[in-house]
Amino acid sequence: MNDVDLKSALTGAMRGEVSDDEGARRAAARDTSLFERMPELVVYTEDANDVSAIVKEVARARAAGAAVALAARAAGTDMSGGPLTTGVVISFTKHMNRMLEVGDGFAVTEPGVYYRDFEKETLKKGLILPSYPASREIAAMGGIIANNAGGERTLEYGQTEKYIEELDVVLSDGSQTTFKSLTSAELEQKKSQQTLEGTIYRDMDALITENAALIETRRPKVSKNSAGYALWSIRDPKTDTFNLAKLICGSQGTLALWTKAKLAL
């Protein structure tokens, strides 16, 4: 499948816009790192269904032999090249930029919300997400969660992972689910599902159970760790709960694409 075919396929599959305009592509080719990768397409998703459709179409293109990759992008303030690709960039800030709720000690947000706007809403209730990064005025929630941000208050309050309660995600087959804290009984129910989600829960539970001692010895003894893949954070021994949202935080879009987050404040 050539690039024109993929553009047509994406345009027909989603509500949002698909662009191969040089200006749009050039804007998505840089973050705040030293790297540059010019994408073939930039897509502006309207909702989670658009994200799902994109993942499915890119998977079809790859199955047909196209060497196309996919990267998520919010504000582009990452300093390591995380949102850069020569394939398709999913840009969240244009449409998926709504604060959905600020409740009693929590907030629900889409990835394209800028932190400055997120904080304005939480402060109305005297609450704050204390893991905001130094780039708080220009960063967006997509990257704050994807990178497990932690700024000037990290030593006292911890990183973003600590505040993740639930994440709505799109998996690699385009299916949608919510990762949240599960009891043992709820985990067993998830593991019984004959879906990609069920496979993920079966494999991750086995991995963590069989390697618990090894995983614990590899837990970084540092005050801040943004390397991602925090296997030691998935199971909470105090509450005997299992939460894969903790693993998505810090994985920079490599495990799943998140479309809605519930964060403690």
Side-chain angles (χ1 to χ4, degrees), residues 7 19 24 32 70 94 100 111 120 145 164 166 185 233-234 239:
K7 181 184 178 184
S19 178
T32 56
L70 186 63
K94 185 174 183 179
L100 301 174
K120 285 177 185 176
I145 289 176
I164 295 290
E166 300 179 12
S233 297
I234 297 172
T239 59

Side-chain angles (χ1 to χ4, degrees), residues 114-262:
Y114 283 91
Y115 177 79
R116 60 179 182 260
D117 299 322
F118 178 92
E119 186 180 90
K120 285 177 185 176
E121 296 303 311
T122 66
L123 286 177
K124 290 178 182 177
K125 296 206 172 184
L127 299 167
I128 197 169
L129 179 69
S131 60
Y132 59 79
S135 56
R136 60 188 295 180
E137 291 299 318
I138 55 175
M141 300 307 296
I144 286 174
I145 289 176
N147 295 321
N148 190 17
E152 63 191 49
R153 296 173 181 245
T154 299
L155 289 177
E156 182 172 357
Y157 294 104
Q159 292 179 251
T160 300
E161 175 206 306
K162 179 179 177 180
Y163 301 94
I164 295 290
E165 294 190 356
E166 300 179 12
L167 289 178
D168 285 9
V169 300
V170 175
L171 303 178
S172 61
D173 65 349
S175 60
Q176 300 179 44
T177 190
T178 300
F179 287 151
K180 60 182 180 179
S181 182
L182 301 177
T183 64
S184 296
E186 290 169 334
L187 174 59
E188 291 306 313
Q189 185 178 28
K190 288 286 189 181
K191 288 165 58 178
S192 70
Q193 297 177 2
Q194 299 306 306
T195 59
L196 175 58
E197 181 185 7
T199 299
I200 290 170
Y201 275 109
R202 288 190 294 274
D203 290 350
M204 291 306 302
D205 185 35
L207 177 75
I208 293 171
T209 301
E210 295 168 10
N211 299 280
L214 177 62
I215 290 170
E216 186 57 34
T217 63
R218 295 300 189 271
R219 183 194 292 266
K221 304 298 191 294
V222 295
S223 59
K224 179 183 178 183
N225 171 39
S226 292
Y229 310 113
L231 295 174
W232 44 82
S233 297
I234 297 172
R235 177 168 279 130
D236 186 343
K238 295 180 181 178
T239 59
D240 192 27
T241 53
F242 192 96
N243 192 347
L244 286 178
K246 302 291 186 178
L247 186 65
I248 301 304
C249 184
S251 66
Q252 281 201 308
T254 60
L255 301 179
L257 301 177
W258 77 266
T259 57
K260 185 172 73 173
K262 181 180 180 182

